[in-house]
Amino acid sequence: MNKSILTNFIALISTVLGFYLGNHLLYTVGLFALSGAITNWLAIHMLFEKVPLLYGSGVIPARFEDFKLAIRQLMMEQFFTKENIDRFLSTGSGAASSIDLTPVIEKIDLTPAFNNLVSVIENSSFAPMLAMVGGSEALQPMKAPFIEKMKISMTEISQSEQFTHLLRKELEQPDMIESLQAKVSDIIEKRLNELTPQLVKEIIQAMIKKHLGWLVVWGGIFGGIIGLIAALTANF
């Protein structure tokens, strides 16, 4: 059973039993515990839901735009600052040294490169000789080996220390850092625009639901303690 419901149920039973049994102590403890538990439960409910005539209720959906703005500011001002991006790119484990271009190179269609090579040969002094052996068609069997060798060479170049150094140096340029920051900001903005008040409410509820339940429990416990003190000191 939900701990909030269980707390309210125990407090209600104590109040009802105390009333019917004429037990002032049990009645007072139960009533104060029920008061504390219900008050905290209502406060939690009012965070997420709009309650008629209760000013300030539904604060999370109502402050939805402020919530999105706060997330964006947190991301851009604490994580994706120019200093942090520059520091990341400057370290040995930064983006430039950790990028593996092999998957990209494998997907590249190098057919245009081979076609350009054929075109260069056709427009060179080797053209008459090429024509004697069948023209450009005679070069087609070389296409697959050419593409394979090109990809191997490009992979080796991309993994060389010189390439990594040049890439890192280029990424560390002020204009590049500003461009990266602008792109990150744009990505965050687009993702935040996909959020709805209902989705934000569900996200926050999922994160803190377990802990909010304990507020009801402790509200009932402290309310019961205050009720016990009130009942014991009623005759003073």
Side-chain angles (χ1 to χ4, degrees):
M1 183 181 292
N2 184 287
K3 61 175 69 70
S4 299
I5 297 176
L6 181 61
T7 302
N8 281 290
F9 179 75
I10 293 174
L12 178 62
I13 291 298
S14 299
T15 304
V16 172
L17 285 177
F19 177 79
Y20 280 104
L21 296 176
N23 189 319
H24 178 69
L25 180 62
L26 181 61
Y27 174 76
T28 305
V29 170
L31 184 62
F32 274 70
L34 184 62
S35 174
I38 288 181
T39 300
N40 282 7
W41 174 82
L42 181 60
I44 294 169
H45 181 76
M46 288 172 59
L47 281 174
F48 302 100
E49 305 293 343
K50 183 70 176 177
V51 180
L53 304 179
L54 292 183
Y55 176 77
S57 60
V59 62
I60 290 179
R63 308 295 293 184
F64 170 65
E65 292 300 328
D66 292 339
F67 176 78
K68 291 201 305 181
L69 180 61
I71 292 179
R72 185 182 182 282
Q73 290 178 337
L74 174 66
M75 297 296 290
M76 297 308 301
E77 295 177 7
Q78 299 297 326
F79 296 101
F80 295 102
T81 63
K82 293 180 180 179
E83 294 76 13
N84 286 343
I85 294 175
D86 182 54
R87 189 182 304 114
F88 172 72
L89 296 176
S90 299
T91 58
S93 60
S97 60
S98 61
I99 293 178
D100 183 9
L101 297 178
T102 303
V104 178
I105 294 174
E106 286 297 326
K107 295 177 182 178
I108 294 176
D109 182 11
L110 293 177
T111 299
F114 178 76
N115 293 337
N116 286 335
L117 175 63
V118 173
S119 178
V120 169
I121 295 175
E122 288 177 330
N123 293 305
S124 70
S125 58
F126 291 97
M129 188 180 300
L130 179 62
M132 292 175 60
V133 296
S136 61
E137 291 299 322
L139 298 177
Q140 291 305 311
M142 299 172 54
K143 181 178 178 180
F146 170 82
I147 291 177
E148 182 181 354
K149 293 293 184 182
M150 279 292 294
K151 288 185 176 181
I152 292 174
S153 297
M154 291 172 65
T155 301
E156 291 176 350
I157 291 172
S158 69
Q159 294 175 348
S160 67
E161 185 177 345
Q162 181 183 18
F163 178 85
T164 300
H165 174 73
L166 292 174
L167 179 59
R168 184 186 304 159
K169 186 176 180 180
E170 193 64 29
L171 289 174
E172 289 174 355
Q173 297 298 320
D175 291 344
M176 180 62 70
I177 294 177
E178 290 180 4
S179 176
L180 285 172
Q181 190 180 39
K183 290 178 180 178
V184 170
S185 177
D186 185 56
I187 291 172
I188 293 174
E189 188 72 30
K190 289 179 179 178
R191 293 297 295 168
L192 288 176
N193 287 336
E194 295 175 3
L195 293 177
T196 63
Q198 178 64 27
L199 184 57
V200 169
K201 184 182 76 172
E202 291 174 357
I203 291 173
I204 297 178
Q205 279 181 322
M207 289 191 299
I208 60 179
K209 182 178 181 180
K210 176 181 178 181
H211 304 287
L212 289 180
W214 282 108
L215 291 179
V216 177
V217 174
W218 287 112
I221 292 174
F222 286 121
I225 293 174
I226 294 173
L228 177 62
I229 296 173
L232 294 175
T233 58
N235 297 325
F236 289 95

